[in-house]
Amino acid sequence: MNYYKISFSLSRIFLLSAFTFTINLSFAQKTAISLKSAYQDDFLIGTALGTEHILEKNEKANALIKREFNAITPENIMKAQVIHPAPNRYNFTLADKYVEYGQKNQMYVVGHTLVWHSQLPPFVFKISNPDSLRIFMTEHINTVAGRYAGKINSWDVVNEALNEDGSLRKSVFLNKLGEGYIKEAFLLAAKADPKAALYYNDYNIEQPAKRKGAIELIKKLQASGVKIDGVGIQGHWSINTLNLKDIEDSILEFSALGIKIAFTELDLTVLPNPWDLQGADVNQRFEEKPEMNPYKDALPDSVQTVLANRYTDLFKLFLKHKDKISRITFWGVDDNHSWLNGFPIRNRTNYPLLFDRLLEPKKAYQAVLNLKIAK
């Protein structure tokens, strides 16, 4: 064979190989894209971890968490009922493993939560003396926040302290310590863990009345010189009643206070809600009825599409205001893990997240990802 023909053939083979390699590399790059990599220049993408995730019991779930998320929040194991079950007794086993999980995977670690009226250990409700309750709160914050000082990136210092009309919730803390307990909690947290960002966290504070109350609360803290770095809007919403205007107004109004906004517990229920229930008051329960559990076996494709569209709308809004938002955290890893399966009616099957019960991505996942990779 002629030398020039051999050279030409080799050149064609080389070019074809290079072209094939480029295609394969492009495909590999696309398949390697995750939520956290797609949004790395915008805000953190987080998830709530249950005990099974912290202990890394499910290999597929563990791989998914590490691939898709760069921020974590403990679903329950840092709440007082678990971490401080009795006077002068703490249980740090799971909390230690949670913090270790975040550190070894180089994730943003959220502490949730220091002061909350719910999921308290029973002995707290037996405290009748205000001074004794103040001692409990002080020792609890000093011990828990102090133990993880320098290892927690942000704390939800006070959780759900407001009623729907924006007034202060008549919790055990308000009733015995007065409204000053919120300021005390932030001061204690700032002293116990000076490097952590400190957040007030609540549901429905995107809605006008409750938002007004939250803004007044934050302004009072700021006026008294208290360190407060951000506000957490939980984001327990419905595909049927998602109000983007309220959400955008809340981003703008909270940001005007000079603080960051995090969406801390995001999920979108797909199930009917005849009581016009909103938010996440865990004490609300309703009767089981078949019509309230319409997707017991599977979610219809038409509803999958609606869910994907709602997440698309939400993330378009988040991207519009990415300079004001620090983090978006989904309240659960997958549909099977979601607390909404049993709230506010037991034994319901819900589908509020981006990954299904087999830990596979849903239409909603691809929709959120497409907002970035389509550009």
Side-chain angles (χ1 to χ4, degrees), residues 63-294:
L64 185 155
I65 292 163
K66 290 190 285 187
R67 182 182 72 242
E68 300 290 340
F69 304 107
N70 50 19
I72 52 174
T73 301
E75 189 176 27
N76 286 302
I77 56 95
M78 276 187 160
K79 291 169 181 173
Q81 188 180 58
V82 178
I83 206 169
H84 191 176
N88 303 315
R89 182 161 70 86
Y90 291 85
N91 181 359
F92 293 117
T93 302
L94 286 172
D96 285 352
K97 290 183 181 296
Y98 162 75
V99 173
E100 179 186 346
Y101 184 98
Q103 288 187 309
K104 74 180 181 181
N105 291 303
Q106 299 180 310
M107 293 170 162
Y108 183 96
V109 181
V110 178
H112 178 79
T113 171
L114 291 173
V115 178
W116 188 29
H117 68 276
S118 189
Q119 287 184 247
L120 284 168
F123 77 87
V124 173
F125 296 102
K126 298 177 182 178
I127 298 174
S128 58
N129 188 310
D131 289 338
S132 297
L133 184 62
R134 179 170 281 107
I135 289 171
F136 160 77
M137 186 177 78
T138 300
E139 290 184 349
H140 180 82
I141 293 174
N142 286 344
T143 303
V144 176
R147 182 181 183 88
Y148 302 111
K151 298 178 181 179
I152 294 284
N153 296 100
S154 70
W155 276 104
D156 292 334
V157 179
V158 176
N159 195 51
E160 301 175 3
L162 296 171
N163 294 312
E164 297 308 295
D165 63 0
S167 63
L168 289 174
R169 180 191 295 270
K170 295 188 185 305
S171 67
V172 61
F173 297 104
L174 181 68
N175 291 340
K176 288 188 170 62
L177 302 179
E179 64 179 80
Y181 85 89
I182 299 174
K183 175 182 176 180
E184 289 181 58
F186 274 89
L187 288 172
L188 288 165
K191 186 175 181 180
D193 192 353
K195 293 183 180 179
L198 306 182
Y199 278 68
Y200 172 72
N201 189 59
D202 212 331
Y203 61 86
N204 287 356
I205 52 172
E206 77 283 351
Q207 296 179 19
K210 198 168 186 179
R211 183 199 320 152
K212 182 179 178 183
I215 289 171
E216 290 175 358
L217 171 62
I218 293 166
K219 283 183 174 179
K220 284 182 181 179
L221 292 174
Q222 291 176 323
S224 63
V226 172
K227 175 187 175 182
I228 177 166
D229 300 288
V231 62
I233 302 172
Q234 290 185 12
H236 296 298
W237 297 318
S238 168
I239 62 170
N240 300 311
T241 57
L242 190 64
N243 190 321
L244 294 175
K245 183 181 185 306
D246 280 350
I247 297 168
E248 182 165 34
D249 287 347
S250 69
I251 294 172
L252 295 172
E253 291 183 27
F254 284 123
S255 178
L257 301 177
I259 59 175
K260 280 289 185 179
I261 295 99
F263 289 88
T264 54
E265 305 183 16
L266 181 61
D267 48 30
L268 298 180
T269 182
V270 302
L271 298 183
N273 179 19
W275 320 278
D276 196 28
L277 177 71
Q278 295 176 320
D281 186 340
V282 295
N283 295 310
Q284 297 177 101
R285 291 291 172 188
F286 297 89
E287 181 184 355
E288 293 183 42
K289 294 181 179 179
E291 62 267 28
M292 293 296 102
N293 192 23

